[in-house]
Amino acid sequence: IAGITQAPTSQILAAGRRMTLRCTQDMRHNAMYWYRQDLGLGLRLIHYSNTAGTTGKGEVPDGYSVSRANTDDFPLTLASAVPSQTSVYFCASSWTGGTNEQFFGPGTRLTVL
Amino acid sequence: GENVEQHPSTLSVQEGDSAVIKCTYSDSASNYFPWYKQELGKRPQLIIDIRSNVGEKKDQRIAVTLNKTAKHFSLHITETQPEDSAVYFCAASNSNGANNLFFGTGTRLTVIP
């Protein structure tokens, strides 16, 4: 099935634990993104990758890391989770150039206690 | 960096009336302006977009206008229906640069039957 998937759907995590959110797309898009969505703040970019092997920092990168070993996968890691990282996380992908439309995954609801 | 402001934060209209959501942006290099609709518990989905070489674009009951000089763009929904109820986000990006989207904080539209 073409599209973008995320795992897990939701997670409750103790503060200080390490967590990796997974994102996979099969549209062969070169660019991928991670956003967090918090009430009243909209969607804020955490990290992005314009092509496999490269990554960049977005608006709110602190406390998060990413890797892009191949075109399809773009995992987001919280090395030591804190309660302020409680949020809904969306992964997205797009072509750069052309239509620029970003396609979003279904989201991961993360609660850090 | 880019700063996108969106108003109003909430909007209630009677079914059949029109709804208008307004956004401003700060970076004159931005040239791509998408609008996303997010239903409760779902992912954001693109509903319409406009590029800086166009002043207006329509798709059935939805239209977007862009004023590059004033750096503002607006979403117009005519003949609103209950299924239009959702949160709408505007965004801006520079497709010649990193292609990252900067989102407004969202407008919760409620269409009253």
Side-chain angles (χ1 to χ4, degrees), chain B residues 10 13 15 19 23 25 28 54 62 85 95 106:
Chain B
T10 60
V13 299
E15 182 177 358
C23 290
Y25 62 99
S28 57
V54 176
I62 294 172
S85 296
S95 62

Side-chain angles (χ1 to χ4, degrees), chain B residues 3-60:
Chain B
N3 180 46
V4 178
E5 295 190 355
Q6 182 172 349
H7 300 280
S9 57
T10 60
L11 179 61
S12 292
V13 299
Q14 291 292 135
E15 182 177 358
D17 287 350
S18 295
V20 180
I21 302 170
K22 298 182 178 182
C23 290
T24 61
Y25 62 99
S26 61
D27 188 352
S28 57
S30 289
N31 59 3
Y32 174 65
F33 307 93
W35 287 87
Y36 283 81
K37 176 183 180 181
Q38 186 178 28
E39 296 176 351
L40 189 62
K42 301 289 182 63
R43 72 189 80 187
Q45 292 195 297
L46 181 74
I47 55 170
I48 195 167
D49 57 15
I50 192 168
R51 296 189 177 280
S52 59
N53 59 348
V54 176
E56 183 176 2
K57 184 176 178 180
K58 279 187 177 181
D59 183 2
Q60 299 181 6

Side-chain angles (χ1 to χ4, degrees), chain A residues 33 37 98-100 102 104, chain B residues 36 38 43 46 51 89 99:
Chain A
Y33 314 84
Q37 184 173 35
T99 64
N100 303 117
Q102 291 191 16
F104 283 80
Chain B
Y36 283 81
Q38 186 178 28
R43 72 189 80 187
L46 181 74
R51 296 189 177 280
F89 292 96
N99 198 48

Side-chain angles (χ1 to χ4, degrees), chain A residues 4 33 35 37 39-43 45 48 50 59 90 94-106, chain B residues 2 31-32 36 38 41-46 49 51 87 89 93 95 97-106 108:
Chain A
I4 182 166
Y33 314 84
Y35 296 89
Q37 184 173 35
L39 195 62
L41 295 175
L43 290 144
L45 183 65
Y48 66 95
N50 283 334
E59 301 169 79
F90 286 99
S94 77
W95 292 110
T96 53
T99 64
N100 303 117
E101 177 181 356
Q102 291 191 16
F103 293 84
F104 283 80
Chain B
E2 176 65 278
N31 59 3
Y32 174 65
Y36 283 81
Q38 186 178 28
K42 301 289 182 63
R43 72 189 80 187
Q45 292 195 297
L46 181 74
D49 57 15
R51 296 189 177 280
V87 179
F89 292 96
S93 79
S95 62
N99 198 48
N100 296 333
L101 286 177
F102 294 87
F103 283 86
T105 50
R108 180 173 299 280

